[in-house]
Amino acid sequence: MKNVNYKTKGVCSKQITFDIDDDNTLHNVKFLGGCPGNLNGISRLVRGMKIDDVISRFESMPICPSSKVTSCPEQIRRALVELRSKL
């Protein structure tokens, strides 16, 4: 398992941490800061999913009204796109 820490930009949460296994499956997804209920929900939804499936699911997500440029689902998608380019 590889542990990943991604510093978010433009949203209330400050960081996303998760583990990725050899099959590119997500585990232990956690957001630091932000809206606890929503982010806990996102974490549970993506747990056990493959990187490509999460990237696909979160493409073209609406932006967060407070940031006007991104959203927490978009931030986890960006983290996974960046990670995938390094695998």
Side-chain angles (χ1 to χ4, degrees):
M1 282 256 195
K2 176 180 180 173
N3 181 264
V4 177
N5 295 302
Y6 181 80
K7 184 171 173 39
T8 59
K9 299 163 195 77
V11 292
C12 299
S13 66
K14 303 296 179 205
Q15 183 175 339
I16 307 167
T17 63
F18 55 90
D19 296 325
I20 187 89
D21 67 19
D22 293 337
D23 293 327
N24 293 333
T25 301
L26 291 170
H27 303 275
N28 305 314
V29 179
K30 294 178 182 147
F31 287 81
L32 176 63
C35 305
N38 291 332
L39 298 177
N40 192 342
I42 292 170
S43 297
R44 289 180 184 198
L45 287 171
V46 301
R47 184 180 353 169
M49 288 181 67
K50 302 278 186 193
I51 288 176
D52 290 335
D53 294 335
V54 176
I55 290 170
S56 174
R57 178 160 294 169
F58 287 158
E59 276 186 304
S60 303
M61 288 296 295
I63 60 173
C64 182
S66 66
S67 75
K68 304 202 181 343
V69 294
T70 188
S71 65
C72 289
E74 172 61 15
Q75 288 295 295
I76 197 166
R77 188 191 72 77
R78 288 181 187 182
L80 295 173
V81 167
E82 185 178 301
L83 174 66
R84 183 176 64 184
S85 72
K86 296 175 183 176
L87 296 177

